[in-house]
């Protein structure tokens, strides 16, 4: 059986990220076209879109758009299936997402084998995200060279950036890669409504960037990783000056403890222990042993099966590095 699948990960679970929702609700045909084209290239006949459960409008718009293509007889030997997520953050991890579509417990799979060889129902699967599929039409129309000419190498093309409501002009902007971050915040976001001390960029597993580092960053994967941060989904969540950093970190650990799939114990237990430590240091006469906390972060980073436990130490380390003065009392 030469069955193959195209799967789109539209389980946009990162707080502060709305770019997938924007594409699905305003340009649904663009996403479907990209998946259909990918299907034609690899000889797949089924496209599956896994949409975040909290996006009912996206589900409706995507269903209407795919029905529209059927009515117009534009789909040659290809069909779309839309799956509605049930609100689990870890389903955004590609292998947990495949398990979820199959009706299994959404746990992360051990890789290899990778989805390209052994994916949905054990068949070869192209699994990518909304933004990537949506770019395909423009690239085919204008040519790969034209797309590569946007932005600066090695990250070329554009990125959708989500700016939160602390910006004077919040919203979603398509910006060329390599644009200075300070320019993104100034020209697109128009500055801030209140005093901000840091930003968490790239979701709950993205780095915590202090305000003074903005000038060192450009909108691309390399500049972020070189500076010890993560661009990820390019969602910007602002942390106001008067919001205690310890509270923010407590929330991150609680989020991970709640959302862990439970398959590997470094993430399942480690996130919970971290949350307990931070809570205890705020409510009791207790100071966290820094060595113990560092060991916990190392266990999470090295021992977790996926990026949920493995990526969580990054923002915590950033906070310890840049907000030491505020955190050393705990």
């Amino acid at each position: 059986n030469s069955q193959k699948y195209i799967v789109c990960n539209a389980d946009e679970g990162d707080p502060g990220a709305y770019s997938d929702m924007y594409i699905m609700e305003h340009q649904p045909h663009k996403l479907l076209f990209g998946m259909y084209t990918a299907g034609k290239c690899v000889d797949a006949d089924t496209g599956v879109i896994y949409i975040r459960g909290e996006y009912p409008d996206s589900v409706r718009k995507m269903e209407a758009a795919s029905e529209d293509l059927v009515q117009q007889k534009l789909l040659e030997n290809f069909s779309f299936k839309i799956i509605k997520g049930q609100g689990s953050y870890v389903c955004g991890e590609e292998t947990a997402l495949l398990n979820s579509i199959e009706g299994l417990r959404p746990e992360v799979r051990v890789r290899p084998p990778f989805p390209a060889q052994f994916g949905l129902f054990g068949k070869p699967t192209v699994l990518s995200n909304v933004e990537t599929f949506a770019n395909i039409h423009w690239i085919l129309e204008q040519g790969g060279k034209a797309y590569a000419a946007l932005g600066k190498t090695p990250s070329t093309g554009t990125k959708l950036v989500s700016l939160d409501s602390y910006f004077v002009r919040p919203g979603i902007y398509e910006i060329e890669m390599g644009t200075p971050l300070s320019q993104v915040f100034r020209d697109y976001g128009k500055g801030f409504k209140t005093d901000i001390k840091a930003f968490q960029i790239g979701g709950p597993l993205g780095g915590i960037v202090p305000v003074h580092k903005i000038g060192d960053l450009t909108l691309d994967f390399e500049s972020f990783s070189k500076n010890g941060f993560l661009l990820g989904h390019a969602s910007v969540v602002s942390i106001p000056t008067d919001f205690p950093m310890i509270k923010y970190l407590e929330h991150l650990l609680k989020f991970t403890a709640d959302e862990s799939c439970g398959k590997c114990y470094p993430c399942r237990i480690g996130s919970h222990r971290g949350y307990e430590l931070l809570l205890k240091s705020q409510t009791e006469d207790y100071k966290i042993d820094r060595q113990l906390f560092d060991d916990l972060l190392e266990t999470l980073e090295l021992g977790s099966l996926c990026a949920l436990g493995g990526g969580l130490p990054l923002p915590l380390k950033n906070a310890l590095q840049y907000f030491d003065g505020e955190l050393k009392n705990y």
Side-chain angles (χ1 to χ4, degrees), residues 70-90:
V70 173
Q71 295 300 326
Q72 296 195 47
K73 299 191 168 47
L74 289 171
L75 298 178
E76 182 195 323
N77 305 330
F78 194 89
S79 61
F80 286 105
K81 173 100 178 114
I82 290 166
I83 308 271
K84 188 173 157 198
Q86 299 296 318
S88 160
Y89 180 70
V90 84

Side-chain angles (χ1 to χ4, degrees), residues 28-47:
H29 292 84
K30 199 180 264 187
L31 168 56
L32 295 173
F33 175 87
M35 292 178 70
Y36 177 73
T37 308
K40 287 292 161 204
C41 291
V42 301
D43 210 16
D45 66 358
T46 308

Side-chain angles (χ1 to χ4, degrees), residues 134-146:
N135 277 330
I136 290 175
H137 187 275
W138 194 93
I139 294 169
L140 286 178
E141 202 172 48
Q142 309 289 333
K145 279 202 174 76

Side-chain angles (χ1 to χ4, degrees), residues 18-38:
Y18 308 102
S19 47
D20 293 358
M21 179 206 252
Y22 168 76
I23 290 171
M24 289 189 286
E25 294 180 13
H26 297 276
Q27 306 181 5
H29 292 84
K30 199 180 264 187
L31 168 56
L32 295 173
F33 175 87
M35 292 178 70
Y36 177 73
T37 308

Side-chain angles (χ1 to χ4, degrees), residues 170-318:
I172 286 178
Y173 300 95
E174 184 176 7
I175 300 171
E176 283 192 34
M177 288 286 215
T179 304
L181 199 59
S182 54
Q183 189 186 334
V184 172
F185 288 2
R186 185 184 65 241
D187 296 356
Y188 296 91
K190 299 292 180 200
F192 306 96
K193 295 173 184 169
T194 179
D195 282 345
I196 303 293
K197 63 181 169 189
F199 308 90
Q200 186 166 25
I201 300 177
L205 312 172
I208 291 178
V209 183
V211 164
H212 73 266
K213 290 288 287 179
I214 296 304
D216 302 347
L217 297 170
T218 51
L219 188 70
D220 55 65
F221 300 103
E222 294 72 28
S223 121
F224 271 75
S225 93
K226 195 174 88 209
N227 281 280
F229 306 115
L230 178 88
L231 178 62
H233 209 50
S235 53
V236 181
V237 171
S238 311
I239 307 174
T241 306
D242 57 8
F243 192 88
M245 190 54 76
I246 190 88
K247 278 270 166 254
Y248 195 84
L249 300 185
E250 180 200 315
H251 172 70
L252 281 182
L253 281 154
K254 177 90 169 64
F255 178 86
T256 307
D258 286 349
E259 296 292 349
S260 173
C261 80
K263 181 159 183 173
C264 68
Y265 65 85
C267 171
R268 181 180 76 226
I269 302 170
S271 55
H272 205 82
R273 288 291 170 266
Y275 168 64
E276 287 172 346
L277 283 174
L278 291 191
L279 205 58
K280 196 172 170 183
S281 72
Q282 293 173 80
T283 52
E284 296 172 31
D285 181 23
Y286 173 78
K287 197 163 167 43
I288 298 172
D289 178 345
R290 182 63 192 268
Q291 186 59 54
L292 178 72
F293 200 69
D294 286 346
D295 288 348
L296 175 68
L297 294 185
E298 188 181 19
T299 306
L300 276 161
E301 202 168 341
L302 300 177
S304 300
L305 256 179
C306 86
L308 183 52
L312 178 68
L314 177 71
L316 298 171
K317 285 177 172 173
N318 291 155

Side-chain angles (χ1 to χ4, degrees), residues 24-25 28-29 31-32 49 51 55-71 75 80-84:
M24 289 189 286
E25 294 180 13
H29 292 84
L31 168 56
L32 295 173
I49 309 158
I51 302 179
Y55 284 179
D57 279 355
S58 299
V59 173
R60 282 194 286 272
K61 296 268 171 69
M62 291 308 297
E63 280 173 345
S66 65
E67 188 47 43
D68 180 37
L69 296 180
V70 173
Q71 295 300 326
L75 298 178
F80 286 105
K81 173 100 178 114
I82 290 166
I83 308 271
K84 188 173 157 198

